[in-house]
Amino acid sequence: MTYFVSANHSVRYHGGRSWPPVILSAALRAVRLHSDFNFILCGDRSVIDPELAKLSDADRSRVTVRHCEDVIAMTDSPSQALRHKKDSSMRRAIEAVQTKQADACVSAGNTGALMCLAYYLIKTLQGIDRPALVSFMPTAGHHRVLLLDLGANVNCTSEALFQYAVMGSVLAEQMLGKQRPRVALLNVGEEDIKGNTLVKMADEHLKQVPALNYIGYVEGDDIFTDYADVVVTDGFTGNVALKSSEGLAKLVVNEVKKQSSSNLWSRLMARIALPLLKSIYNRVNPDQYNGASLIGLRGIVVKSHGNASADAFYYAILQAMQEARLRVPEQIKSKIETVLLEQL
């Protein structure tokens, strides 16, 4: 039986402090809909237990609660979380993955603390220096692209970019069903002469690996064109690209809502176009792309937005479930070993 951990702790929720019912609502939905998974909920038992009373006896039997006294705040540094918050829900959830009591952990907490605790407790796979945050993005033609790193490592080396490419390729194979997924490096131009030394060194390295379907450079606007299946960059650039695209999606949705209600004629036209607008919104809705995987670890850790809605957090849980079913860390380990052997 596969076990799954959902960490419930202090997070930002629409600009304020944690609102556990949001996370619990998503977790209970997953319990009801996925009977092949057991769940361990880490957090304040006095908050969790009343919500569990809403479950049937059969569903309730698949949930274990681990009470935690400490809370990792968004303002806590990674070192504070590691040294002084040893009974936090985040740490207990990650420890469950470390000790094989759980196959995956989902958290909406402090990203730096999550990265630090996962790196310290679960460790990285052999051949991987640092884990990377990766998430799906929508593209043309109803496809998806993997973008990494999204902020786990603001500064990185060309070797790290190479490792991201290998891991992203494996994830695209497993999660997207792609045979020889197209891997690209994000750059300021497609020409070989463009880019900084870091990108050029990674480009030269990737060209020497036949096990990867490396297609060269792409620019920022190519992320959404279905030109590549995996787009690799450093954590600083990746995080800016992700947040910018999310902000643009929200701007477009809000502008459509505002314009469609500005007058009677607009409201009438909006009603006629409603099915089309809903279809477009469902394609670009950031909620369904919530859930960034911290790949390169010996276990599965998925990071949800701190201000995620219940629907968005549920999508993060589904992401972790799918990775657990597909045994993604083992697949990455196998690919890394193959690629490293080719270079000997």
Side-chain angles (χ1 to χ4, degrees), residues 31-94:
V31 172
R32 293 187 184 100
L33 297 179
H34 301 277
S35 59
D36 55 330
F37 276 80
N38 290 343
F39 292 76
I40 306 170
L41 303 182
C42 303
D44 186 343
R45 181 181 290 276
S46 68
V47 175
I48 297 172
D49 282 347
E51 295 297 315
L52 295 184
K54 301 174 183 178
L55 293 173
S56 67
D57 290 344
D59 287 339
R60 177 66 183 84
S61 68
R62 294 187 292 108
V63 180
T64 300
V65 179
R66 293 187 179 174
H67 179 72
C68 304
E69 293 288 344
D70 293 335
V71 172
I72 296 176
M74 286 296 179
T75 54
D76 286 341
S77 68
S79 61
Q80 283 179 305
L82 180 63
R83 295 172 186 170
H84 306 298
K85 301 293 182 72
K86 295 188 177 181
D87 193 32
S88 66
S89 57
M90 181 187 288
R91 179 161 186 145
R92 294 304 182 207
I94 293 173

Short mmCIF file of all heavy atoms in Angstrom, two decimals, residues 31-94:
data_model
loop_
_atom_site.label_atom_id
_atom_site.label_comp_id
_atom_site.label_asym_id
_atom_site.label_seq_id
_atom_site.Cartn_x
_atom_site.Cartn_y
_atom_site.Cartn_z
N VAL A 31 -8.51 12.02 -0.18
CA VAL A 31 -8.83 10.80 0.57
C VAL A 31 -10.08 10.14 -0.02
O VAL A 31 -10.12 8.92 -0.24
CB VAL A 31 -9.04 11.10 2.06
CG1 VAL A 31 -9.57 9.87 2.79
CG2 VAL A 31 -7.74 11.57 2.71
N ARG A 32 -11.11 10.94 -0.28
CA ARG A 32 -12.38 10.40 -0.79
C ARG A 32 -12.24 9.81 -2.19
O ARG A 32 -12.87 8.81 -2.53
CB ARG A 32 -13.44 11.49 -0.80
CG ARG A 32 -13.87 11.99 0.58
CD ARG A 32 -15.06 12.94 0.45
NE ARG A 32 -15.44 13.51 1.74
CZ ARG A 32 -15.10 14.73 2.14
NH1 ARG A 32 -14.37 15.51 1.35
NH2 ARG A 32 -15.49 15.18 3.32
N LEU A 33 -11.41 10.44 -3.02
CA LEU A 33 -11.35 10.08 -4.44
C LEU A 33 -10.27 9.06 -4.78
O LEU A 33 -10.27 8.51 -5.88
CB LEU A 33 -11.14 11.34 -5.29
CG LEU A 33 -12.26 12.38 -5.24
CD1 LEU A 33 -11.89 13.59 -6.11
CD2 LEU A 33 -13.58 11.78 -5.72
N HIS A 34 -9.35 8.78 -3.84
CA HIS A 34 -8.22 7.90 -4.17
C HIS A 34 -8.06 6.86 -3.06
O HIS A 34 -7.22 7.01 -2.16
CB HIS A 34 -6.95 8.72 -4.36
CG HIS A 34 -7.07 9.75 -5.45
ND1 HIS A 34 -6.87 9.45 -6.78
CD2 HIS A 34 -7.41 11.06 -5.39
CE1 HIS A 34 -7.07 10.53 -7.50
NE2 HIS A 34 -7.39 11.53 -6.69
N SER A 35 -8.82 5.80 -3.18
CA SER A 35 -8.84 4.78 -2.14
C SER A 35 -7.58 3.92 -2.12
O SER A 35 -7.38 3.13 -1.20
CB SER A 35 -10.07 3.88 -2.31
OG SER A 35 -10.06 3.25 -3.59
N ASP A 36 -6.72 4.05 -3.14
CA ASP A 36 -5.49 3.26 -3.17
C ASP A 36 -4.36 3.94 -2.41
O ASP A 36 -3.24 3.43 -2.38
CB ASP A 36 -5.06 3.00 -4.62
CG ASP A 36 -4.90 4.27 -5.44
OD1 ASP A 36 -5.62 5.26 -5.15
OD2 ASP A 36 -4.08 4.29 -6.37
N PHE A 37 -4.63 5.09 -1.79
CA PHE A 37 -3.62 5.80 -1.02
C PHE A 37 -4.04 5.93 0.44
O PHE A 37 -5.22 6.13 0.75
CB PHE A 37 -3.40 7.21 -1.59
CG PHE A 37 -2.46 7.26 -2.75
CD1 PHE A 37 -2.88 6.92 -4.02
CD2 PHE A 37 -1.14 7.65 -2.58
CE1 PHE A 37 -2.02 6.95 -5.09
CE2 PHE A 37 -0.26 7.68 -3.64
CZ PHE A 37 -0.69 7.33 -4.90
N ASN A 38 -3.08 5.80 1.33
CA ASN A 38 -3.25 6.17 2.73
C ASN A 38 -2.61 7.53 2.96
O ASN A 38 -1.68 7.91 2.23
CB ASN A 38 -2.60 5.14 3.66
CG ASN A 38 -3.36 3.82 3.64
OD1 ASN A 38 -4.51 3.77 3.21
ND2 ASN A 38 -2.71 2.77 4.11
N PHE A 39 -3.07 8.25 3.95
CA PHE A 39 -2.62 9.62 4.17
C PHE A 39 -2.15 9.83 5.61
O PHE A 39 -2.77 9.32 6.55
CB PHE A 39 -3.75 10.61 3.88
CG PHE A 39 -4.13 10.67 2.42
CD1 PHE A 39 -4.88 9.67 1.84
CD2 PHE A 39 -3.72 11.73 1.63
CE1 PHE A 39 -5.22 9.71 0.50
CE2 PHE A 39 -4.04 11.78 0.30
CZ PHE A 39 -4.80 10.77 -0.28
N ILE A 40 -1.06 10.55 5.75
CA ILE A 40 -0.58 10.98 7.05
C ILE A 40 -0.65 12.50 7.07
O ILE A 40 0.02 13.16 6.26
CB ILE A 40 0.86 10.52 7.32
CG1 ILE A 40 1.00 9.02 7.14
CG2 ILE A 40 1.31 10.94 8.71
CD1 ILE A 40 2.44 8.53 7.15
N LEU A 41 -1.46 13.06 7.93
CA LEU A 41 -1.60 14.51 8.04
C LEU A 41 -0.80 15.00 9.23
O LEU A 41 -1.06 14.59 10.37
CB LEU A 41 -3.07 14.90 8.17
CG LEU A 41 -4.00 14.43 7.05
CD1 LEU A 41 -5.42 14.93 7.30
CD2 LEU A 41 -3.51 14.93 5.70
N CYS A 42 0.15 15.87 8.98
CA CYS A 42 1.01 16.40 10.04
C CYS A 42 0.60 17.82 10.36
O CYS A 42 0.55 18.67 9.47
CB CYS A 42 2.47 16.37 9.60
SG CYS A 42 3.07 14.75 9.12
N GLY A 43 0.31 18.09 11.63
CA GLY A 43 -0.09 19.43 12.01
C GLY A 43 -0.77 19.45 13.37
O GLY A 43 -0.56 18.56 14.20
N ASP A 44 -1.59 20.45 13.58
CA ASP A 44 -2.29 20.65 14.85
C ASP A 44 -3.50 19.72 14.91
O ASP A 44 -4.47 19.90 14.18
CB ASP A 44 -2.72 22.12 14.96
CG ASP A 44 -3.32 22.44 16.32
OD1 ASP A 44 -3.71 21.51 17.05
OD2 ASP A 44 -3.43 23.64 16.64
N ARG A 45 -3.45 18.74 15.78
CA ARG A 45 -4.53 17.75 15.87
C ARG A 45 -5.87 18.40 16.19
O ARG A 45 -6.92 17.94 15.71
CB ARG A 45 -4.19 16.70 16.93
CG ARG A 45 -5.24 15.61 17.08
CD ARG A 45 -4.85 14.62 18.15
NE ARG A 45 -3.73 13.79 17.75
CZ ARG A 45 -3.85 12.68 17.01
NH1 ARG A 45 -5.04 12.29 16.58
NH2 ARG A 45 -2.78 11.98 16.69
N SER A 46 -5.87 19.46 16.99
CA SER A 46 -7.13 20.10 17.37
C SER A 46 -7.83 20.74 16.17
O SER A 46 -9.05 20.93 16.18
CB SER A 46 -6.88 21.17 18.44
OG SER A 46 -6.14 22.27 17.92
N VAL A 47 -7.06 21.06 15.13
CA VAL A 47 -7.63 21.60 13.89
C VAL A 47 -8.01 20.48 12.93
O VAL A 47 -9.04 20.54 12.25
CB VAL A 47 -6.63 22.57 13.22
CG1 VAL A 47 -7.17 23.04 11.87
CG2 VAL A 47 -6.35 23.76 14.12
N ILE A 48 -7.19 19.45 12.86
CA ILE A 48 -7.38 18.38 11.88
C ILE A 48 -8.53 17.45 12.25
O ILE A 48 -9.37 17.11 11.41
CB ILE A 48 -6.07 17.57 11.72
CG1 ILE A 48 -4.96 18.47 11.17
CG2 ILE A 48 -6.29 16.38 10.78
CD1 ILE A 48 -3.59 17.81 11.14
N ASP A 49 -8.60 17.03 13.51
CA ASP A 49 -9.59 16.03 13.92
C ASP A 49 -11.04 16.41 13.61
O ASP A 49 -11.80 15.56 13.12
CB ASP A 49 -9.44 15.70 15.41
CG ASP A 49 -8.25 14.77 15.68
OD1 ASP A 49 -7.73 14.20 14.70
OD2 ASP A 49 -7.85 14.64 16.84
N PRO A 50 -11.49 17.65 13.88
CA PRO A 50 -12.88 17.99 13.54
C PRO A 50 -13.18 17.86 12.05
O PRO A 50 -14.31 17.49 11.68
CB PRO A 50 -12.99 19.45 14.01
CG PRO A 50 -11.96 19.59 15.08
CD PRO A 50 -10.83 18.74 14.63
N GLU A 51 -12.19 18.13 11.20
CA GLU A 51 -12.40 17.99 9.75
C GLU A 51 -12.50 16.52 9.35
O GLU A 51 -13.28 16.16 8.46
CB GLU A 51 -11.26 18.67 8.99
CG GLU A 51 -11.17 20.17 9.18
CD GLU A 51 -12.40 20.88 8.65
OE1 GLU A 51 -12.85 20.55 7.54
OE2 GLU A 51 -12.92 21.75 9.37
N LEU A 52 -11.73 15.66 10.01
CA LEU A 52 -11.76 14.24 9.68
C LEU A 52 -13.09 13.61 10.03
O LEU A 52 -13.47 12.57 9.46
CB LEU A 52 -10.64 13.50 10.43
CG LEU A 52 -9.20 13.86 10.05
CD1 LEU A 52 -8.22 12.97 10.80
CD2 LEU A 52 -8.98 13.75 8.54
N ALA A 53 -13.83 14.22 10.94
CA ALA A 53 -15.15 13.69 11.32
C ALA A 53 -16.12 13.72 10.15
O ALA A 53 -17.14 13.03 10.15
CB ALA A 53 -15.71 14.49 12.49
N LYS A 54 -15.78 14.50 9.10
CA LYS A 54 -16.64 14.59 7.92
C LYS A 54 -16.48 13.38 7.00
O LYS A 54 -17.27 13.21 6.07
CB LYS A 54 -16.34 15.87 7.15
CG LYS A 54 -16.53 17.15 7.96
CD LYS A 54 -16.06 18.37 7.18
CE LYS A 54 -16.18 19.64 8.02
NZ LYS A 54 -15.67 20.83 7.29
N LEU A 55 -15.46 12.56 7.23
CA LEU A 55 -15.20 11.41 6.38
C LEU A 55 -16.03 10.20 6.81
O LEU A 55 -16.42 10.09 7.97
CB LEU A 55 -13.72 11.03 6.44
CG LEU A 55 -12.70 12.02 5.86
CD1 LEU A 55 -11.29 11.54 6.17
CD2 LEU A 55 -12.90 12.19 4.36
N SER A 56 -16.23 9.29 5.88
CA SER A 56 -16.85 8.01 6.24
C SER A 56 -15.86 7.20 7.06
O SER A 56 -14.66 7.48 7.07
CB SER A 56 -17.22 7.24 4.97
OG SER A 56 -16.04 6.83 4.27
N ASP A 57 -16.35 6.18 7.74
CA ASP A 57 -15.47 5.35 8.57
C ASP A 57 -14.38 4.69 7.72
O ASP A 57 -13.22 4.58 8.15
CB ASP A 57 -16.29 4.27 9.29
CG ASP A 57 -17.17 4.85 10.39
OD1 ASP A 57 -16.92 6.01 10.79
OD2 ASP A 57 -18.11 4.16 10.83
N ALA A 58 -14.75 4.25 6.52
CA ALA A 58 -13.77 3.58 5.65
C ALA A 58 -12.66 4.55 5.23
O ALA A 58 -11.48 4.19 5.24
CB ALA A 58 -14.47 3.02 4.41
N ASP A 59 -13.05 5.77 4.87
CA ASP A 59 -12.04 6.75 4.47
C ASP A 59 -11.21 7.20 5.67
O ASP A 59 -9.99 7.38 5.56
CB ASP A 59 -12.72 7.97 3.83
CG ASP A 59 -13.25 7.67 2.43
OD1 ASP A 59 -12.77 6.71 1.81
OD2 ASP A 59 -14.15 8.41 1.98
N ARG A 60 -11.86 7.35 6.79
CA ARG A 60 -11.16 7.80 8.00
C ARG A 60 -10.09 6.78 8.42
O ARG A 60 -9.03 7.16 8.94
CB ARG A 60 -12.16 7.99 9.15
CG ARG A 60 -11.54 8.38 10.48
CD ARG A 60 -10.90 9.75 10.42
NE ARG A 60 -10.23 10.11 11.67
CZ ARG A 60 -9.00 9.75 12.01
NH1 ARG A 60 -8.28 9.01 11.16
NH2 ARG A 60 -8.47 10.11 13.15
N SER A 61 -10.33 5.51 8.13
CA SER A 61 -9.36 4.48 8.53
C SER A 61 -8.06 4.57 7.74
O SER A 61 -7.06 3.97 8.13
CB SER A 61 -9.99 3.10 8.33
OG SER A 61 -10.17 2.82 6.94
N ARG A 62 -8.07 5.30 6.64
CA ARG A 62 -6.86 5.44 5.82
C ARG A 62 -6.08 6.71 6.13
O ARG A 62 -5.14 7.06 5.42
CB ARG A 62 -7.24 5.43 4.33
CG ARG A 62 -7.80 4.10 3.85
CD ARG A 62 -8.01 4.06 2.36
NE ARG A 62 -9.08 4.95 1.91
CZ ARG A 62 -8.89 6.07 1.25
NH1 ARG A 62 -7.67 6.49 0.95
NH2 ARG A 62 -9.92 6.81 0.87
N VAL A 63 -6.47 7.41 7.19
CA VAL A 63 -5.82 8.66 7.57
C VAL A 63 -5.19 8.54 8.95
O VAL A 63 -5.85 8.12 9.90
CB VAL A 63 -6.81 9.84 7.56
CG1 VAL A 63 -6.09 11.13 7.95
CG2 VAL A 63 -7.48 9.98 6.20
N THR A 64 -3.92 8.91 9.04
CA THR A 64 -3.21 8.97 10.31
C THR A 64 -2.86 10.43 10.59
O THR A 64 -2.43 11.15 9.68
CB THR A 64 -1.92 8.14 10.27
OG1 THR A 64 -2.24 6.79 10.00
CG2 THR A 64 -1.17 8.23 11.59
N VAL A 65 -3.05 10.86 11.83
CA VAL A 65 -2.72 12.24 12.22
C VAL A 65 -1.50 12.24 13.11
O VAL A 65 -1.43 11.46 14.08
CB VAL A 65 -3.90 12.91 12.95
CG1 VAL A 65 -3.52 14.34 13.37
CG2 VAL A 65 -5.14 12.93 12.07
N ARG A 66 -0.53 13.08 12.79
CA ARG A 66 0.65 13.24 13.63
C ARG A 66 0.67 14.68 14.15
O ARG A 66 0.88 15.63 13.38
CB ARG A 66 1.92 12.93 12.85
CG ARG A 66 2.01 11.46 12.49
CD ARG A 66 3.33 11.08 11.87
NE ARG A 66 3.36 9.66 11.57
CZ ARG A 66 4.34 9.05 10.91
NH1 ARG A 66 5.40 9.75 10.50
NH2 ARG A 66 4.29 7.76 10.66
N HIS A 67 0.43 14.81 15.44
CA HIS A 67 0.38 16.14 16.03
C HIS A 67 1.77 16.75 16.08
O HIS A 67 2.75 16.08 16.44
CB HIS A 67 -0.21 16.07 17.44
CG HIS A 67 -0.27 17.41 18.11
ND1 HIS A 67 -1.17 18.38 17.74
CD2 HIS A 67 0.47 17.93 19.12
CE1 HIS A 67 -1.00 19.45 18.49
NE2 HIS A 67 0.00 19.20 19.33
N CYS A 68 1.87 18.03 15.72
CA CYS A 68 3.14 18.75 15.72
C CYS A 68 3.00 20.05 16.49
O CYS A 68 2.01 20.78 16.31
CB CYS A 68 3.61 19.05 14.30
SG CYS A 68 3.73 17.58 13.23
N GLU A 69 3.97 20.34 17.33
CA GLU A 69 3.92 21.54 18.18
C GLU A 69 4.53 22.77 17.50
O GLU A 69 4.07 23.89 17.70
CB GLU A 69 4.65 21.28 19.50
CG GLU A 69 3.97 20.26 20.41
CD GLU A 69 2.69 20.80 21.03
OE1 GLU A 69 2.49 22.04 21.00
OE2 GLU A 69 1.89 19.98 21.51
N ASP A 70 5.57 22.56 16.70
CA ASP A 70 6.28 23.70 16.11
C ASP A 70 5.65 24.14 14.79
O ASP A 70 5.02 23.33 14.09
CB ASP A 70 7.75 23.35 15.87
CG ASP A 70 8.52 23.13 17.15
OD1 ASP A 70 8.10 23.70 18.19
OD2 ASP A 70 9.52 22.39 17.13
N VAL A 71 5.86 25.39 14.47
CA VAL A 71 5.39 25.96 13.20
C VAL A 71 6.54 26.68 12.52
O VAL A 71 7.22 27.50 13.16
CB VAL A 71 4.23 26.96 13.44
CG1 VAL A 71 3.87 27.68 12.14
CG2 VAL A 71 3.01 26.24 13.99
N ILE A 72 6.79 26.38 11.27
CA ILE A 72 7.79 27.10 10.48
C ILE A 72 7.10 28.26 9.79
O ILE A 72 6.25 28.05 8.92
CB ILE A 72 8.47 26.17 9.46
CG1 ILE A 72 9.25 25.06 10.17
CG2 ILE A 72 9.41 26.98 8.55
CD1 ILE A 72 9.88 24.05 9.25
N ALA A 73 7.45 29.47 10.18
CA ALA A 73 6.85 30.66 9.59
C ALA A 73 7.53 31.01 8.28
O ALA A 73 8.65 30.57 8.00
CB ALA A 73 6.95 31.83 10.56
N MET A 74 6.86 31.81 7.47
CA MET A 74 7.44 32.24 6.20
C MET A 74 8.68 33.11 6.41
O MET A 74 9.51 33.22 5.52
CB MET A 74 6.40 33.01 5.37
CG MET A 74 5.33 32.12 4.76
SD MET A 74 6.04 30.98 3.56
CE MET A 74 4.58 30.09 3.04
N THR A 75 8.79 33.71 7.58
CA THR A 75 9.94 34.58 7.86
C THR A 75 11.12 33.82 8.45
O THR A 75 12.20 34.39 8.62
CB THR A 75 9.51 35.69 8.84
OG1 THR A 75 8.91 35.09 10.00
CG2 THR A 75 8.51 36.64 8.18
N ASP A 76 10.94 32.55 8.79
CA ASP A 76 12.04 31.76 9.36
C ASP A 76 13.09 31.47 8.29
O ASP A 76 12.76 31.14 7.14
CB ASP A 76 11.52 30.44 9.92
CG ASP A 76 10.76 30.62 11.22
OD1 ASP A 76 10.93 31.67 11.87
OD2 ASP A 76 10.01 29.70 11.60
N SER A 77 14.34 31.55 8.68
CA SER A 77 15.42 31.19 7.76
C SER A 77 15.53 29.67 7.69
O SER A 77 15.09 28.97 8.60
CB SER A 77 16.75 31.77 8.25
OG SER A 77 17.16 31.12 9.45
N PRO A 78 16.11 29.14 6.62
CA PRO A 78 16.30 27.68 6.53
C PRO A 78 17.07 27.12 7.73
O PRO A 78 16.74 26.03 8.21
CB PRO A 78 17.07 27.51 5.23
CG PRO A 78 16.63 28.67 4.39
CD PRO A 78 16.47 29.80 5.36
N SER A 79 18.07 27.85 8.21
CA SER A 79 18.85 27.36 9.35
C SER A 79 18.01 27.32 10.62
O SER A 79 18.15 26.39 11.44
CB SER A 79 20.09 28.23 9.57
OG SER A 79 19.72 29.57 9.84
N GLN A 80 17.11 28.29 10.80
CA GLN A 80 16.21 28.27 11.95
C GLN A 80 15.29 27.05 11.90
O GLN A 80 15.07 26.37 12.91
CB GLN A 80 15.35 29.54 11.98
CG GLN A 80 16.06 30.78 12.47
CD GLN A 80 15.14 31.99 12.42
OE1 GLN A 80 14.57 32.32 11.36
NE2 GLN A 80 14.96 32.65 13.54
N ALA A 81 14.75 26.79 10.71
CA ALA A 81 13.86 25.65 10.54
C ALA A 81 14.57 24.34 10.82
O ALA A 81 14.03 23.43 11.45
CB ALA A 81 13.28 25.66 9.13
N LEU A 82 15.81 24.25 10.37
CA LEU A 82 16.58 23.01 10.52
C LEU A 82 16.99 22.77 11.97
O LEU A 82 16.89 21.65 12.48
CB LEU A 82 17.82 23.07 9.62
CG LEU A 82 18.75 21.86 9.64
CD1 LEU A 82 18.04 20.62 9.13
CD2 LEU A 82 19.99 22.14 8.80
N ARG A 83 17.40 23.82 12.66
CA ARG A 83 17.98 23.64 14.00
C ARG A 83 16.96 23.74 15.13
O ARG A 83 17.11 23.07 16.15
CB ARG A 83 19.07 24.70 14.21
CG ARG A 83 20.26 24.55 13.28
CD ARG A 83 21.20 25.73 13.42
NE ARG A 83 22.30 25.68 12.44
CZ ARG A 83 23.15 26.68 12.22
NH1 ARG A 83 23.05 27.80 12.91
NH2 ARG A 83 24.11 26.55 11.31
N HIS A 84 15.94 24.58 14.94
CA HIS A 84 15.08 24.91 16.08
C HIS A 84 13.62 24.49 15.93
O HIS A 84 12.84 24.63 16.87
CB HIS A 84 15.13 26.42 16.33
CG HIS A 84 16.52 26.95 16.52
ND1 HIS A 84 17.34 26.56 17.56
CD2 HIS A 84 17.24 27.84 15.79
CE1 HIS A 84 18.50 27.18 17.46
NE2 HIS A 84 18.47 27.96 16.40
N LYS A 85 13.22 23.97 14.78
CA LYS A 85 11.82 23.59 14.58
C LYS A 85 11.72 22.10 14.27
O LYS A 85 11.20 21.69 13.24
CB LYS A 85 11.21 24.42 13.42
CG LYS A 85 11.25 25.94 13.64
CD LYS A 85 10.36 26.38 14.78
CE LYS A 85 10.36 27.88 14.97
NZ LYS A 85 9.67 28.63 13.95
N LYS A 86 12.22 21.29 15.19
CA LYS A 86 12.31 19.85 14.94
C LYS A 86 11.00 19.11 15.12
O LYS A 86 10.90 17.94 14.77
CB LYS A 86 13.40 19.24 15.84
CG LYS A 86 14.79 19.77 15.50
CD LYS A 86 15.88 19.05 16.24
CE LYS A 86 17.26 19.58 15.80
NZ LYS A 86 18.37 18.88 16.49
N ASP A 87 9.98 19.78 15.66
CA ASP A 87 8.66 19.16 15.76
C ASP A 87 7.65 19.90 14.89
O ASP A 87 6.47 19.97 15.19
CB ASP A 87 8.17 19.14 17.21
CG ASP A 87 6.95 18.23 17.40
OD1 ASP A 87 6.87 17.22 16.67
OD2 ASP A 87 6.10 18.53 18.25
N SER A 88 8.14 20.47 13.80
CA SER A 88 7.25 21.14 12.84
C SER A 88 6.61 20.12 11.93
O SER A 88 7.15 19.02 11.71
CB SER A 88 8.03 22.16 12.01
OG SER A 88 8.96 21.48 11.17
N SER A 89 5.45 20.46 11.38
CA SER A 89 4.77 19.53 10.47
C SER A 89 5.59 19.30 9.20
O SER A 89 5.60 18.20 8.64
CB SER A 89 3.38 20.06 10.11
OG SER A 89 3.47 21.35 9.54
N MET A 90 6.30 20.34 8.75
CA MET A 90 7.11 20.18 7.56
C MET A 90 8.21 19.15 7.78
O MET A 90 8.42 18.25 6.96
CB MET A 90 7.74 21.52 7.14
CG MET A 90 8.59 21.44 5.89
SD MET A 90 9.46 22.97 5.52
CE MET A 90 8.13 24.03 4.98
N ARG A 91 8.91 19.25 8.91
CA ARG A 91 9.99 18.31 9.20
C ARG A 91 9.44 16.90 9.38
O ARG A 91 10.02 15.93 8.87
CB ARG A 91 10.76 18.73 10.43
CG ARG A 91 11.89 17.75 10.76
CD ARG A 91 12.93 18.33 11.65
NE ARG A 91 14.06 17.41 11.80
CZ ARG A 91 15.31 17.78 11.92
NH1 ARG A 91 15.64 19.05 11.85
NH2 ARG A 91 16.28 16.87 12.07
N ARG A 92 8.35 16.76 10.12
CA ARG A 92 7.77 15.43 10.36
C ARG A 92 7.33 14.78 9.03
O ARG A 92 7.48 13.57 8.85
CB ARG A 92 6.60 15.52 11.32
CG ARG A 92 6.99 15.94 12.74
CD ARG A 92 8.03 15.03 13.31
NE ARG A 92 8.38 15.39 14.68
CZ ARG A 92 9.53 15.14 15.24
NH1 ARG A 92 10.49 14.53 14.55
NH2 ARG A 92 9.78 15.49 16.50
N ALA A 93 6.78 15.57 8.14
CA ALA A 93 6.35 15.03 6.85
C ALA A 93 7.53 14.55 6.02
O ALA A 93 7.52 13.47 5.42
CB ALA A 93 5.55 16.09 6.08
N ILE A 94 8.60 15.35 6.00
CA ILE A 94 9.79 14.97 5.25
C ILE A 94 10.46 13.76 5.88
O ILE A 94 10.96 12.87 5.18
CB ILE A 94 10.76 16.17 5.15
CG1 ILE A 94 10.14 17.27 4.29
CG2 ILE A 94 12.10 15.74 4.57
CD1 ILE A 94 10.93 18.55 4.26
#
